[in-house]
């Protein structure tokens, strides 16, 4: 029979076979016991590339910690510098300071004879206002320039706000006739609104609440405008009074043509002129300029012809054509309301200079 592992017919003839054929490659037991497997480490398997990766030494660990500390210190230094510059920044908007109360002075000017009458055209042509401009055209802005702490544009803004207030409070027909006070009120600093409203509702001669210090208004029951456009002339001056405040002084003379309010069915009464010399001191901080509003510090008004005893804290009380002031004789100092750029009369009443009246 064939041996185990041989084909049934035996090993084919001519082919190598049999145990003798492979005996030379058979490992004996001693060789197998002597042989053992050896597994190389990762570094050994990388061979020559093992030097590309090196282990971190203890010194390098300490260096990394120092870099982290330095980074934290730099962040803290930058943060502290930002806070310091924020506190010291000179261009931060200043805190909006509260406006001071307005101080007012109203001086009536009494005529020294009868008040001249005529048509508005005749009166204007034969008075000092013959060359004055009409309405807002008489309030001219000066040549503006920058100051130490205010740009030229800010100065122009302050002058423009002052002009807007003068127009609203001295030339607006509805304000002059007592129909409204809104145009002037809208331009005031909010801190002065309470004082303004009290002056409108309950005017008094206390140096704080004379309505005539805020605006020009005639009693509509007694007086009407004979011509809506007044004649105006004067100056605007500006001055920086602190790094955060800009002052503007307005010194103007306004002349109105007036007539009696009630004409009835008879002939039209002659008109007469009424003159107001008004000096208003404005103050603007940066918030006022930004919000287009005005703060009034002082307002001095000389107005005539009026009787010295007339209550002029509210509406003005003009003497009309042909009227006389019985209390003008000899006492009050003569005052010319057309002479601007001068100290206002300190007295309670003044005498209207004859040159201030039309010469018909």
């Amino acid at each position: 029979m064939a041996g185990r592992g041989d084909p049934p017919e035996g090993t084919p003839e001519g082919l190598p076979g049999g145990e003798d054929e492979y005996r030379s490659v058979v490992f004996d037991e001693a060789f197998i016991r002597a042989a053992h497997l050896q597994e190389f480490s990762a570094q050994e398997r990388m061979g020559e590339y093992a030097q590309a990766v090196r282990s971190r030494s203890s010194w390098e660990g300490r260096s990394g910690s120092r870099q982290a500390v330095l980074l934290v210190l730099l962040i803290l230094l930058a943060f502290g510098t930002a806070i310091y510059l924020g506190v010291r920044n000179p261009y931060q908007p200043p805190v909006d300071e509260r406006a001071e109360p307005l101080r007012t002075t109203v001086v009536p000017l009494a005529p020294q004879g009868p008040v001249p009458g005529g048509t508005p055209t005749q009166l204007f042509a034969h008075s000092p206002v013959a060359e004055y401009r009409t309405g807002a055209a008489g309030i001219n802005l000066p040549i503006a320039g920058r100051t130490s702490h205010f740009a030229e544009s800010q100065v122009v803004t302050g002058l423009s706000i002052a002009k807007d207030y003068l127009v609203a409070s001295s030339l607006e027909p509805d304000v002059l006739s007592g129909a409204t006070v809104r145009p002037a009120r809208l331009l005031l600093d909010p801190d002065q609104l309470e004082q303004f409203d009290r002056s409108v509702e309950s005017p008094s001669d206390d140096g704080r609440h004379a309505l005539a210090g805020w605006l020009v208004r005639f009693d509509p029951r007694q007086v009407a405008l004979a011509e809506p456009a007044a004649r105006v002339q004067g100056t605007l001056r500006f001055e920086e009074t602190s790094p955060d405040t800009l002052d503007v002084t307005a010194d103007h003379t306004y002349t109105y043509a007036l007539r009696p309010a009630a004409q009835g069915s008879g002939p039209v009464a002659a008109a007469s002129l009424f003159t107001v010399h008004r000096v208003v001191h404005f103050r603007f901080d940066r918030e006022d300029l930004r919000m287009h509003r005005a703060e009034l510090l002082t307002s001095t008004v000389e107005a005539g012809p009026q009787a010295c005893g007339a209550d002029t804290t509210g509406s003005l009380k003009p003497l009309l054509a042909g009227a006389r002031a019985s209390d003008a004789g000899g006492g009050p100092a003569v005052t010319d309301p057309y002479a601007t750029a001068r100290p206002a009369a300190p007295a309670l009443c003044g005498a209207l200079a004859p040159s201030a009246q039309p010469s018909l």
Side-chain angles (χ1 to χ4, degrees), residues 272-290:
S272 60
L273 298 186
F274 187 82
T275 304
V276 177
H277 176 212
R278 191 178 184 205
V279 181
V280 183
H281 184 184
F282 298 90
R283 174 159 293 170
F284 302 96
D285 59 26
R286 298 182 190 277
E287 187 67 9
D288 292 329
L289 296 176
R290 188 179 71 85

Side-chain angles (χ1 to χ4, degrees), residues 183-205:
R185 191 180 191 276
L186 289 175
L187 291 170
L188 288 175
D189 189 295
D191 294 335
Q192 293 189 319
L193 292 180
E194 182 179 355
Q195 183 188 7
F196 176 84
D197 291 341
R198 180 179 168 185
S199 301
V200 174
E201 298 166 2
S202 303
S204 61
D205 188 17

Side-chain angles (χ1 to χ4, degrees), residues 217 342 357:
R217 184 169 75 176
R342 60 171 176 80
Q357 296 278 32

Side-chain angles (χ1 to χ4, degrees), residues 102-168:
L102 170 65
R103 302 187 301 275
T104 61
T105 302
V106 181
V107 180
L109 301 179
Q112 301 183 59
V115 177
T119 67
T121 301
Q122 291 174 329
L123 296 172
F124 285 140
H126 294 85
S127 71
V129 303
E131 303 300 326
Y132 282 19
R133 294 188 176 183
T134 301
I139 304 175
N140 299 312
L141 301 186
I143 298 175
R146 72 180 316 275
T147 64
S148 299
H149 298 90
F150 288 88
E152 180 180 342
S153 60
Q154 292 175 306
V155 174
V156 172
T157 298
L159 292 169
S160 299
I161 298 171
K163 177 176 179 177
D164 289 346
Y165 185 85
L166 296 176
V167 171

Side-chain angles (χ1 to χ4, degrees), residues 22 97 110 114 121 125 143 148 152 170 189 209-210 221 240 266 279 281 297-298 344:
Y22 296 98
E97 299 181 358
T121 301
I143 298 175
S148 299
E152 180 180 342
S170 302
D189 189 295
H209 300 95
R221 297 167 298 181
E240 178 184 312
V279 181
H281 184 184
L297 287 183
T298 62

